[in-house]
Amino acid sequence: MSTYTWAAGYVDDGDRPQIVTSRFKYDDGYTLERYHATGGYDGLRAALARTPAEVHDEVKAATVLGRGGAGFPAGTKWGLMPPGKFPRFLVVNGDESEPGTYKDRLLMERDPHQLIEGCLIASYAAGLAQVFLYIRGEMPLAHERVATALNEAYAAGYIGRNILGSQFSVDIVLHWGAGAYVVGEETALIESLEGKRGEPRLKPPFFPAAIGLYGQPTIVNNVETLSNLPWLAVNGAEAYTAIGTATSPGTRMVAVSGHVKRPGVYEIINGTTTFRDLLYGDEFCQGIRDDNELKAFVPGGGSAPWFTPDQLDLPFESKLVGAAGSMLGSGAVMVMDHTTDIPKAALTLVHFYAAESCGQCTPCREGGTWLERIMQRLADGRGSHDDLDQLFEIGQAICPGVFPHAASERVGLEAKPFPFKMTTICFVGPSAYTAVHSAVTLFRDEFEAKIVERRRIPVSIEAVGAH
Amino acid sequence: MSRLNEANVILAKEIIGRYPKARSATIPLLHLSQQQNGYITSEAMVHIGELVGATSAEILGTATFYEMFKFEPVGKYLVNICGTMSCQLLGADELMHHAEARLGVKAGGTTADGLFTLEHAECQAACTEAPNMQVNYRHCHRMTTAAFDQLIDDLAAGRLDGEIPPHGTLARVRQQIPADKAAGVASLDAPAQPAWMPAPEATS
Amino acid sequence: MTTIDPDTTADDTVEAPPVDPNAVNITVNGVPHVARKGQLVIEAAADAGEYIPRFCYHERMTSVGKCRMCLVECDTGRGPAVTVSCMVPVAPDMKVDTQSETTKRMQEGVLELLLANHPLDCPVCDKGGECPLQDQTLSNGPGESRYVEEKRHYEKPIAISDIVLLDRERCILCDRCTRFADEVAGDPLIHFNGRGNNTHITTYPDEPFSSYFSGNTVQICPVGALTAKPYRFKARPWDLSQQESTCTTCAVGCRTVVQSSRDEVLRYMGVDSEPVNHGWLCDRGRFNFESVKSPDRVLQPLVRDGDQLQPSSWNAALAAAAALITEATAAGGANSIAVLGGARGSNEDAFAWARLGHEVIGTPNVYAQMGDGLPAGLLGQPRATIDQAAHAATIVLLGPDLKEELPVLYLRLREAAEKRWSRIIEFTPKRTGLSPYAWRTIGYEPGTQVAAVQQALADPAIAAQIASGDVVVVAGRANLAESSAATVAALRELLAAVPSALVLPAFRRGNVVGALQVGMRPRPGGLDTRSTLQAAADGKIECLVLVGADPLADFPDTDLARRGLAGARRIIAVDSFLTASSSLAHVVLAASAYTEKSGTTTNIEGRVSTLARQVTPAGNSRADWMIAGELALALGGDLGYDTVDDITADIATLVDGYAEVTIEALAASTDGVVAGVPSAIDPMNVVPVDLPDRNAYDFRLVVSRTMYDQATGTANSPSLAHLPRGSAVHLHPLDIERVGTTAGTEVKVIGPRATVVFAVVADESVLRGTAWVPFNNPGPNVGDLIDCFAAVNDVRIENI
Ligand SMILES: Cc1cc2nc3c(=O)[nH]c(=O)nc-3n(C[C@H](O)[C@H](O)[C@H](O)COP(=O)(O)O)c2cc1C
Ligand code: SF4
Ligand code: FES
């Protein structure tokens, strides 16, 4: 066989609590057999032994923060559904596509039963009639593993009518996406699940908990969020909140990629682990590759404003990170060492968001493409100083007013905290600007260096050179 | 015949039956037709429209939103090279250049033998294993140029037939909902309080 | 001297105004304003005098908030927040700021970005001069674009339908046309395609946007991306002059604007009339202005000379016509003269002609219907307005396919069903355009309406629905191949069961309601159209006057029409075209057309609204009322009218129900004035139906109209003339099998009178055991198979 591997990325050493990754160490962690052998479906049984309201209260007490990006507590979200309005749906957001993010795929490929059990507990607690598990289309292995697990769970009586002999009945339907990042946004996810173009809808009035799938109350939760529930149901809120901090309890999965010695997905302790721990700690990434210098890192997925070494000692706590000018987002850290060509790196992100715009909002559709073209010019060394100003002016049409960024001692900047104003329906538009803004604000010199180079080259020579 | 064939129509109806509204099955059915024909044909979109109760224009509108759907034949193997940040930081550009040279086509092109279509792709949710690529959406992690050559050789020689089905086939395992166990599709017309929820919640 | 301050006394007696529960106090740019609960910020600001620029927002469609042009800053206590004014409703104490620094920056930004890919071809764009994008760029824009990259490029205009062209480069993706197609028309045949920067609008390949309402997309497109072939490159907005008017293509009476340039009508636009058309028009109404300037118009009076109709002077023609009438009176008495028609003209035309017929000529035989409606007594029923129908808890349809015959009423009722404030119960011999939206569709075989209604009323679910709220019955003639008796009986049955139900008459032709109501109906002892034609066929009509009537095309029983016109000794026609019927006349008096004359018209709900004279009458043509007046003079009478206003005033004084329709009232209301229900109109008698059994091998014939047919207005409008689907016999697919033929093949359709060869069309909307043929469509004539005296018409279908 060849040299490639089909499932990889998880790093499990050190002595940390494992809430969602406990079965990753087994090659057969995805089978019902292994799941049973490791306490599988005990959480469901524990939940069924209590009333739905009690289970819901437990989830509220544990403050299980959403892991999809916004960090909204799951228990609170479930409580936002208008009382008495049925049917209600659960849509599982398994569309993981945010640049840098790699955790939901692992959870689906390596421990699908844990996710299924989480869906069942949520449905039981919140009175949900049907679950749609929306898996990103470009993840056939996740699809196969989840499909197999669902088939096993149906056969074993965990899903379907009168689950484990109780009154509780729910179906889980597997649904595939077909390649569109924006569909990860929850209202777009719902549109897509209705068979339409995945265009986000304005909140309000389309707040899914009130008006969601087919206009009914709908909970959209991330795969990792739901995967926390079996452990919580077995061990209780107290054990859960004993890990991490009061505002950020439990653990979270973080993918660290880019220029580190040991890139990987780590289950870290919420609220206390710092970026320095993560990037340099022995049980994590063990430092920058070739012991290079750290230049910058993206702390929370491609949509997050960048940090530099100045912010290394911040912990994974969303308020602190927000005040410092960025966000934790979807648990994805992308690391750039001192060799990185900043304009080029930023270009990949602006290209991503421009390409992934759904196209409905003018500022995102037109502004994203325009930003990308200018950035391309600048990265290629064909840009001008006017272009740099123009980037900010286009940015003003997407995000008028002050845009957040980190403090930087190197260039003498104070942090500008979250949030920001935006002219678009969803965050794709602003995200296209984020990388541009961070890169130009923190590393303007690098852009200018390229402009200077360009000025020195007489046009005629460049033209000759192009042949 | 590029409408859905008989077996797939049966499957399509089963899939439709899982949703409270038929239109929700649009994307799964588009996948089904892509699996049947390798791409989405015009006739298939008309057929899907009939099955889910939408106009062909609506089906086309949905289908063209999603990049996995192809409207013209592509190679047996769709090679997607990720170019988003983490992969770019670790050599995606070189991998793409190498792939173009090796396959003799530019990104977006299909080799003359119809075996490979090469495409630039966005983040594949494998960032820690950069640089990444996918063949028919099967992940290939930490690619090197040598590993790429080996992979292409293996694919061309049919050594990976068991692992990587032709373009269009996503999962080889389908969900089966046994009729005797199913809880049933949620009814939008006759809303009811779920049986396991205790006293009716207060309406406010 | 003691003075009483009127205000103080008033204060003592008038209580403090009650607190309006729907009032929401806001400020708009610092000025206090009382908005309504649930009102969108964009609307509230407009009420307060601040117009917020917008592209995607349209008051008649769901807000989507896509263009982002209408963003403003609103403060609800937590500081100014960027607010999509077209989607966010007002909140108490909201401070709306449409002029803040941020608002201005956002508006400039959106405009600059929209222009980034929009071609700057305003000088050659139809929209130039009336383009919101152009206007807003001038008033709110950033001056010039700094976009130096290459713009998006698309193939030049693509025809998305027979009438509408789409230029995707100009499109700003506001979702208006697509939303209209989906939400309002129910024809989602144009759609967004692609994603992000490649998003564009298209139809499915080879499936055109063949909506009856496609022209509305042109009207609501905020840029010049959608253009209508009949108007393309014809004029610039600043060359146009315009007036409000009413469409008389059908009896819905949509409000329009008639636009012309250099005395030529160039375009109709829908006006947003709240009670009637909400701004929409059907394509037939929108584009048949082409017929006004048709080269085939009758431009001067014609007098027969042997086989030929020769141009004549008005004096000579009127004298000839008067002579024909005098001769006829002498030969057979006034009762041997009959006047048919009047539905194509104005109320004034009809009133003048009714008086001429009844008073000057002295005949009771005057009738505006062509044997294709229900008895005029329908107008005496407690009447619903269109709005009442479109908001009734239950709408009962007992009439024609509204999508084909009264298209904008179809839109209104479709909306009611889609938005779920009404439920439709439909009785029909063939599935209609509203069937997909109906709560219940009850199919009946022609002649069995009463049984169908009785059965339905006995169904507890239907009974409960009917009892749940107000009921409006939309009643009309669903089938031209059966007498109207069974429908009248079924309507009586319904009204007996639901005495509180209101009736909306589904009469179709332009001003038929007005013509009937102002007097173009038989006086006691007079003949209706069927009897007139029968009498003519029997040689008893000395003179037949056709006032814009074409029985050969419009009367269902063609054989009778043919025999009637052949048997009438003298024929006078008042017409704008030489039709099959008017070309048989001895004298043709050239009538001016819609847009060439002013006056009023009455729609199905009795709403009287004005018609505008926007261009000079073609050639020497004259308004019908003038012709009536002059003919009266030639006959030694005098109607006494110098101006059309004289007649309008007379109608208000003399016509039952029109007392409130005064010139002043009409001038004061843009939506027109609803006339009362006439108190003394013939009762709607139930005539027993003698229904023959249907032989199992026979098919019961159903014949009805389609939106596009060979009607004069359509046939003479080049953009529409090719749109009729064509004559063919439509059968249920299983019946096609039973006959042993296949779709597309020709078959013989055999009736007692004639055999006509039609092509077969498979059509699931046709009930088994019935055969449907569209009326007055190009091809073999189904009228040859219809006996208008029979209760129903059965035919045999045989292979050739
Ligand atoms: C542009 C965009 C893309 C998103 N993509 C994802 C995604 O791929 N997966 C995900 O779980 N959440 C994604 N989200 C967040 C979801 O909208 C939503 O907040 C989340 O699924 C809620 O689940 P949670 O409360 O469990 O985190 C995205 C949001 C935006 C604005
Ligand atoms: S911001 Fe972009 S992706 Fe988001 S809704 Fe608007 S156009 Fe679509
Ligand atoms: S008018 Fe409000 S977003 Fe377009």
Side-chain angles (χ1 to χ4, degrees):
Chain A
M1 271 294 296
S2 41
T3 52
Y4 31 83
T5 48
W6 301 120
Y10 175 67
V11 183
D12 172 28
D13 52 13
D15 187 18
R16 301 184 301 276
Q18 292 179 324
I19 291 180
V20 291
T21 62
S22 63
R23 282 176 209 92
F24 283 21
K25 54 179 165 280
Y26 306 110
D27 278 347
D28 61 352
Y30 56 88
T31 61
L32 184 58
E33 206 179 350
R34 172 65 67 191
Y35 198 61
H36 276 152
T38 50
Y41 291 107
D42 287 353
L44 174 64
R45 289 196 177 83
L48 290 181
R50 287 180 283 167
T51 67
E54 283 166 0
V55 179
H56 190 170
D57 287 344
E58 183 100 60
V59 176
K60 272 194 234 168
T63 321
V64 180
L65 299 180
R67 307 296 205 265
F72 194 79
T76 313
K77 188 190 275 189
W78 303 353
L80 293 176
M81 291 187 293
K85 195 170 171 202
F86 299 100
R88 300 162 171 178
F89 298 100
L90 171 62
V91 178
V92 183
N93 194 341
D95 195 55
E96 185 168 64
S97 323
E98 174 79 9
T101 313
Y102 176 27
K103 62 189 183 65
D104 299 339
R105 177 161 81 89
L106 277 172
L107 287 166
M108 293 186 282
E109 288 177 355
R110 312 274 299 243
D111 200 351
H113 282 287
Q114 176 172 258
L115 170 61
I116 291 169
E117 192 178 351
C119 295
L120 293 168
I121 294 168
S123 303
Y124 177 73
L128 311 174
Q130 218 180 338
V131 179
F132 296 95
L133 215 169
Y134 193 117
I135 299 185
R136 179 173 171 184
E138 296 103 323
M139 297 181 175
L141 182 63
H143 202 283
E144 287 176 5
R145 294 257 168 101
V146 174
T148 308
L150 285 169
N151 292 346
E152 289 169 338
Y154 262 105
Y158 292 121
I159 321 179
R161 201 174 328 124
N162 299 117
I163 293 167
L164 298 178
S166 71
Q167 285 282 294
F168 174 48
S169 303
V170 74
D171 275 333
I172 304 182
V173 173
L174 190 53
H175 186 94
W176 340 5
Y181 159 74
V182 67
V183 162
E185 196 282 334
E186 54 190 0
T187 54
L189 192 72
I190 286 168
E191 290 282 314
S192 180
L193 190 48
E194 289 184 3
K196 305 188 185 133
R197 300 161 57 79
E199 293 172 352
R201 295 283 166 249
L202 195 77
K203 287 180 262 187
F206 299 100
F207 193 62
I211 307 178
L213 188 63
Y214 314 122
Q216 293 299 120
T218 302
I219 296 301
V220 180
N221 266 142
N222 170 262
V223 166
E224 186 188 341
T225 314
L226 291 162
S227 295
N228 272 278
L229 301 181
W231 190 97
L232 174 62
V234 171
N235 299 287
E238 217 169 296
Y240 191 87
T241 50
I243 304 166
T245 64
T247 49
S248 299
T251 63
R252 71 177 297 165
M253 291 175 74
V254 179
V256 193
S257 59
H259 297 156
V260 285
K261 282 189 181 146
R262 197 170 66 146
V265 182
Y266 302 90
E267 182 167 2
I268 65 161
I269 296 173
N270 240 349
T272 57
T273 310
T274 65
F275 288 101
R276 188 182 300 282
D277 296 339
L278 196 60
L279 266 50
Y280 293 95
D282 266 357
E283 54 181 309
F284 300 109
C285 297
Q286 301 170 347
I288 308 301
R289 67 163 181 191
D290 305 335
D291 290 324
N292 283 348
E293 253 167 68
L294 172 66
K295 194 182 219 170
F297 60 100
V298 187
S303 308
W306 298 6
F307 278 166
T308 61
D310 301 28
Q311 285 80 31
L312 271 175
D313 292 313
L314 280 171
F316 270 77
E317 204 289 318
S318 70
K319 283 222 175 61
L320 295 173
V321 170
S326 189
M327 62 173 189
L328 289 177
S330 51
V333 179
M334 294 183 280
V335 180
M336 295 168 260
D337 71 10
H338 76 266
T339 67
T340 307
D341 178 340
I342 291 286
K344 213 169 158 189
L347 174 64
T348 65
L349 289 179
V350 68
H351 169 79
F352 177 89
Y353 292 102
E356 296 297 337
S357 163
C358 80
Q360 60 175 338
C361 307
T362 309
C364 172
R365 177 183 70 240
E366 307 291 344
T369 320
W370 198 352
L371 287 174
E372 184 196 345
R373 292 192 180 181
I374 297 175
M375 283 290 283
Q376 182 81 53
R377 223 169 25 230
L378 287 161
D380 291 353
R382 293 180 289 114
S384 67
H385 288 277
D386 285 350
D387 281 338
L388 283 177
D389 298 339
Q390 181 67 20
L391 289 173
F392 284 99
E393 279 166 43
I394 297 168
Q396 282 295 310
I398 305 172
C399 301
V402 180
F403 197 77
H405 60 76
S408 165
E409 223 172 290
R410 190 178 74 89
V411 288
L413 277 177
E414 297 261 316
K416 292 279 188 275
F418 263 60
F420 51 84
K421 290 182 167 49
M422 59 195 251
T423 61
T424 53
I425 291 177
C426 83
F427 286 93
V428 172
S431 298
Y433 181 49
T434 303
V436 172
H437 184 267
S438 285
V440 179
T441 305
L442 299 169
F443 300 97
R444 193 176 182 103
D445 47 341
E446 291 206 21
F447 286 86
E448 284 178 336
K450 292 212 178 202
I451 292 166
V452 174
E453 276 167 35
R454 155 100 174 79
R455 288 249 165 109
R456 289 211 195 100
I457 303 170
V459 174
S460 54
I461 292 180
E462 188 192 49
V464 171
H467 282 112
Chain B
M1 256 299 266
S2 34
R3 285 166 69 94
L4 292 182
N5 62 31
E6 237 169 87
N8 280 338
V9 169
I10 294 170
L11 210 47
K13 292 197 171 146
E14 188 192 324
I15 294 171
I16 290 171
R18 293 179 186 170
Y19 299 92
K21 287 194 180 173
R23 177 114 184 243
S24 281
T26 303
I27 292 173
L29 298 199
L30 284 163
H31 275 307
L32 192 61
S33 88
Q34 181 148 289
Q35 171 163 348
Q36 177 182 302
N37 302 312
Y39 69 105
I40 310 276
T41 66
S42 260
E43 294 84 349
M45 282 188 279
V46 173
H47 195 180
I48 291 169
E50 291 163 12
L51 288 166
V52 306
T55 63
S56 329
E58 290 174 306
I59 301 297
L60 180 68
T62 296
T64 52
F65 190 86
Y66 300 93
E67 64 233 10
M68 286 176 78
F69 296 130
K70 310 294 175 193
F71 302 92
E72 266 154 32
V74 295
K76 180 177 176 194
Y77 297 112
L78 181 63
V79 177
N80 282 328
I81 296 185
C82 178
T84 312
M85 188 178 228
S86 307
C87 289
Q88 194 269 344
L89 289 175
L90 289 168
D93 290 354
E94 294 79 59
L95 183 60
M96 180 55 102
H97 288 148
H98 178 78
E100 287 182 338
R102 166 70 211 257
L103 295 175
V105 294
K106 289 272 165 215
T110 301
T111 55
D113 59 7
L115 219 44
F116 298 101
T117 296
L118 181 64
E119 281 188 357
H120 172 95
E122 299 301 340
C123 185
Q124 297 175 336
C127 310
T128 66
E129 310 308 298
N132 290 290
M133 54 172 275
Q134 292 182 322
V135 179
N136 293 346
Y137 305 108
R138 272 70 185 168
H139 280 92
C140 306
H141 294 141
R142 304 201 187 212
M143 288 305 286
T144 59
T145 51
F148 182 85
D149 289 343
Q150 168 85 57
L151 174 63
I152 294 298
D153 289 343
D154 286 350
L155 287 167
R159 285 192 287 271
L160 290 173
D161 284 358
E163 263 172 86
I164 303 183
H167 176 254
T169 303
L170 286 192
R172 287 160 303 177
V173 180
R174 275 186 189 281
Q175 181 184 13
Q176 245 93 45
I177 301 185
D180 60 324
K181 302 234 154 121
V185 172
S187 164
L188 299 172
D189 294 329
Q193 163 113 8
W196 69 93
M197 299 297 277
E201 292 177 24
T203 13
S204 57
Chain C
M1 205 172 76
T2 39
T3 49
I4 297 165
D5 183 345
D7 286 336
T8 359
T9 37
D11 272 352
D12 289 339
T13 51
V14 176
E15 292 171 29
V19 184
D20 180 354
N22 282 320
V24 179
N25 290 308
I26 62 171
T27 65
V28 178
N29 298 339
V31 182
H33 174 73
V34 184
R36 291 190 322 274
K37 201 171 168 184
Q39 195 178 24
L40 296 170
V41 171
I42 199 169
E43 294 281 359
D47 287 352
E50 290 295 337
Y51 180 85
I52 301 176
R54 79 282 305 261
F55 292 111
C56 66
Y57 175 66
H58 189 284
E59 49 282 275
R60 293 288 178 194
M61 300 190 289
T62 312
S63 286
V64 288
K66 288 188 170 187
C67 73
R68 322 304 287 170
M69 188 64 206
C70 70
L71 300 180
V72 294
E73 281 198 300
C74 294
D75 187 342
T76 41
R78 279 176 291 172
V82 172
T83 304
V84 197
S85 66
C86 73
M87 291 199 77
V88 174
V90 291
D93 302 322
M94 182 185 254
K95 294 191 190 69
V96 179
D97 193 341
T98 70
Q99 289 165 347
S100 74
E101 194 47 37
T102 305
T103 303
K104 221 175 140 322
R105 204 182 298 149
M106 293 189 294
Q107 287 177 353
E108 280 188 17
V110 169
L111 274 174
E112 177 167 27
L113 290 171
L114 278 176
L115 290 175
N117 273 302
H118 187 85
L120 299 174
D121 60 350
C122 310
V124 296
C125 175
D126 269 344
K127 202 78 177 184
E130 55 178 9
C131 174
L133 181 57
Q134 195 179 35
D135 296 349
Q136 287 172 21
T137 305
L138 294 177
S139 55
N140 309 64
E144 64 187 88
S145 173
R146 291 161 295 190
Y147 191 74
V148 294
E149 349 291 306
E150 204 186 325
K151 296 194 183 225
R152 258 196 306 267
H153 227 66
Y154 290 110
E155 205 182 307
K156 269 322 251 183
I158 49 173
I160 58 170
S161 78
D162 284 304
I163 310 179
V164 180
L165 294 167
L166 167 67
D167 189 331
R168 287 172 295 174
E169 287 178 352
R170 290 185 188 146
C171 170
I172 58 165
L173 301 170
C174 69
D175 196 17
R176 279 185 171 200
C177 60
T178 36
R179 241 181 311 159
F180 171 82
D182 181 18
E183 258 178 41
V184 182
D187 299 317
L189 299 166
I190 41 175
H191 210 279
F192 279 125
N193 264 261
R195 191 180 71 206
N197 200 32
N198 299 318
T199 311
H200 58 104
I201 306 268
T202 56
T203 58
Y204 198 71
D206 304 324
E207 265 180 48
F209 177 42
S210 50
S211 170
Y212 283 171
F213 305 97
S214 70
N216 293 296
T217 61
V218 177
Q219 180 170 333
I220 60 179
C221 178
V223 292
L226 288 163
T227 44
K229 281 183 199 163
Y231 178 73
R232 265 171 82 83
F233 307 129
K234 287 282 163 55
R236 313 300 305 181
W238 49 85
D239 292 331
L240 293 175
S241 70
Q242 62 177 37
Q243 278 184 80
E244 270 201 34
S245 188
T246 308
C247 177
T248 56
T249 308
C250 81
V252 174
C254 296
R255 283 300 272 175
T256 59
V257 159
V258 179
Q259 298 181 324
S260 66
S261 168
R262 277 171 250 176
D263 210 23
E264 189 188 337
V265 178
L266 288 180
R267 185 164 69 171
Y268 294 161
M269 306 270 259
V271 169
D272 194 333
S273 165
E274 177 65 39
V276 185
N277 57 315
H278 290 184
W280 314 129
L281 297 178
C282 72
D283 285 359
R284 184 170 177 218
R286 183 183 296 272
F287 296 116
N288 69 9
F289 66 84
E290 289 178 330
S291 66
V292 175
K293 47 190 180 180
S294 160
D296 294 335
R297 280 285 296 277
V298 175
L299 300 174
Q300 65 245 65
L302 307 170
V303 176
R304 182 164 297 279
D305 178 5
D307 285 349
Q308 297 274 305
L309 279 166
Q310 296 294 352
S312 161
S313 71
W314 271 106
N315 278 344
L318 286 164
L324 290 175
I325 292 172
T326 316
E327 284 165 33
T329 319
N335 283 13
S336 72
I337 300 175
V339 181
L340 291 182
R344 279 190 197 150
S346 62
N347 289 332
E348 290 70 16
D349 291 337
F351 189 64
W353 272 96
R355 284 193 59 204
L356 175 67
H358 289 312
E359 294 168 25
V360 180
I361 298 173
T363 175
N365 310 323
V366 176
Y367 204 35
Q369 290 209 79
M370 282 295 111
D372 55 357
L374 292 187
L378 186 62
L379 297 175
Q381 302 301 320
R383 202 185 294 167
T385 61
I386 291 175
D387 245 357
Q388 282 170 323
H391 287 94
T394 308
I395 306 168
V396 180
L397 302 180
L398 180 67
D401 186 337
L402 298 177
K403 187 173 184 182
E404 304 292 341
E405 302 210 356
L406 297 165
V408 171
L409 178 61
Y410 157 82
L411 292 186
R412 293 289 312 270
L413 300 189
R414 180 187 174 276
E415 179 190 29
E418 276 286 274
K419 303 228 170 114
R420 294 182 176 226
W421 60 64
S422 303
R423 276 181 169 167
I424 294 177
I425 301 174
E426 173 185 54
F427 296 93
T428 180
K430 173 184 182 287
R431 282 178 70 80
T432 69
L434 278 172
S435 300
Y437 311 102
W439 177 66
R440 292 281 193 283
T441 294
I442 297 151
Y444 65 79
E445 194 168 277
T448 65
Q449 287 87 318
V450 173
V453 165
Q454 284 169 342
Q455 224 168 33
L457 291 173
D459 176 329
I462 293 180
Q465 171 59 30
I466 285 179
S468 70
D470 51 339
V471 176
V472 170
V473 184
V474 183
R477 183 81 168 267
N479 180 13
L480 303 179
E482 69 174 284
S483 85
S484 62
T487 304
V488 170
L491 177 60
R492 278 263 166 264
E493 195 76 28
L494 265 169
L495 296 179
V498 196
S500 64
L502 299 177
V503 177
L504 183 62
F507 285 123
R508 168 177 171 274
R509 206 165 286 119
N511 189 31
V512 65
V513 174
L516 290 172
Q517 221 167 317
V518 302
M520 293 207 76
R521 52 179 201 272
R523 293 248 165 117
L527 305 175
D528 65 7
T529 304
R530 184 170 76 165
S531 319
T532 298
L533 290 171
Q534 184 63 55
D538 296 344
K540 293 182 196 149
I541 295 292
E542 292 294 335
C543 184
L544 182 63
V545 186
L546 301 174
V547 185
D550 182 3
L552 285 174
D554 285 334
F555 190 74
D557 180 340
T558 311
D559 180 57
L560 180 61
R562 220 180 277 129
R563 288 187 289 123
L565 287 178
R569 294 225 165 72
R570 303 165 188 83
I571 301 177
I572 299 169
V574 181
D575 216 323
S576 312
F577 286 92
L578 281 182
T579 64
S581 306
S582 62
S583 52
L584 299 175
H586 298 94
V587 176
V588 179
L589 302 171
S592 47
Y594 176 59
T595 71
E596 296 173 344
K597 58 187 178 187
S598 51
T600 61
T601 184
T602 309
N603 79 350
I604 45 173
E605 53 182 344
R607 182 179 303 278
V608 182
S609 54
T610 53
L611 299 172
R613 179 188 147 123
Q614 178 66 11
V615 290
T616 331
N620 289 325
S621 64
R622 292 180 182 177
D624 296 22
W625 67 268
M626 272 184 210
I627 298 173
E630 280 158 10
L631 194 52
L633 287 174
L635 287 167
D638 185 0
L639 299 180
Y641 300 133
D642 290 329
T643 67
V644 72
D645 283 355
D646 295 344
I647 315 181
T648 315
D650 236 15
I651 292 175
T653 339
L654 299 175
V655 175
D656 188 7
Y658 276 64
E660 279 167 23
V661 190
T662 60
I663 292 177
E664 297 70 38
L666 286 165
S669 161
T670 46
D671 290 330
V673 179
V674 180
V677 174
S679 49
I681 199 158
D682 356 322
M684 204 176 43
N685 292 326
V686 175
V687 193
V689 188
D690 184 15
L691 196 63
D693 285 339
R694 179 169 64 84
N695 174 325
Y697 297 102
D698 284 354
F699 288 84
R700 198 144 274 183
L701 195 58
V702 178
V703 174
S704 61
R705 294 183 186 270
T706 49
M707 167 122 127
Y708 299 117
D709 56 12
Q710 303 182 99
T712 318
T714 308
N716 288 290
S717 297
S719 301
L720 305 178
H722 60 290
L723 294 178
R725 62 185 86 186
S727 193
V729 61
H730 292 235
L731 298 175
H732 191 279
L734 294 173
D735 280 344
I736 295 183
E737 262 174 54
R738 184 162 70 95
V739 172
T741 182
T742 49
T745 318
E746 293 201 319
V747 292
K748 283 194 283 193
V749 179
I750 304 161
R753 287 180 173 181
T755 296
V756 183
V757 174
F758 289 104
V760 177
V761 171
D763 190 340
E764 299 206 346
S765 71
V766 176
L767 266 179
R768 292 204 62 187
T770 67
W772 180 72
V773 185
F775 190 65
N776 196 19
N777 263 254
N781 180 14
V782 67
D784 288 333
L785 293 168
I786 299 176
D787 173 357
C788 68
F789 289 98
V792 290
N793 286 275
D794 290 346
V795 292
R796 217 154 16 99
I797 297 182
E798 281 181 10
N799 287 313
I800 297 174

